[in-house]
Amino acid sequence: MTTPLFLLRCVQLGLSMGDLDFLTIGLVNDMFTERENDEYKYHMLADQSDFDKF
């Protein structure tokens, strides 16, 4: 990942330069990935019984 791409992702997430003092590059990437997955419609979602079996 290039620096401009990283900074673009930070802007898309609404992060400020001050926020970056507390976040790692990996955490910003994870936040961006989760944001992109927010609109995905899962066919099956786990419920409490699935977690109990796990």
Side-chain angles (χ1 to χ4, degrees):
M1 173 186 304
T2 62
T3 302
L5 179 58
F6 175 75
L7 293 175
L8 174 63
R9 288 185 175 174
C10 291
V11 169
Q12 289 172 328
L13 289 169
L15 300 174
S16 68
M17 292 303 284
D19 293 335
L20 296 180
D21 289 337
F22 305 106
L23 302 172
T24 64
I25 293 171
L27 186 56
V28 172
N29 283 335
D30 289 344
M31 291 168 61
F32 186 79
T33 300
E34 288 300 321
R35 186 179 136 260
E36 292 299 307
N37 287 336
D38 283 346
E39 301 299 320
Y40 185 78
K41 302 296 182 201
Y42 292 96
H43 299 287
M44 183 175 77
L45 294 175
D47 59 10
Q48 186 61 47
S49 65
D50 295 321
F51 281 103
D52 293 341
K53 289 180 215 174
F54 182 70

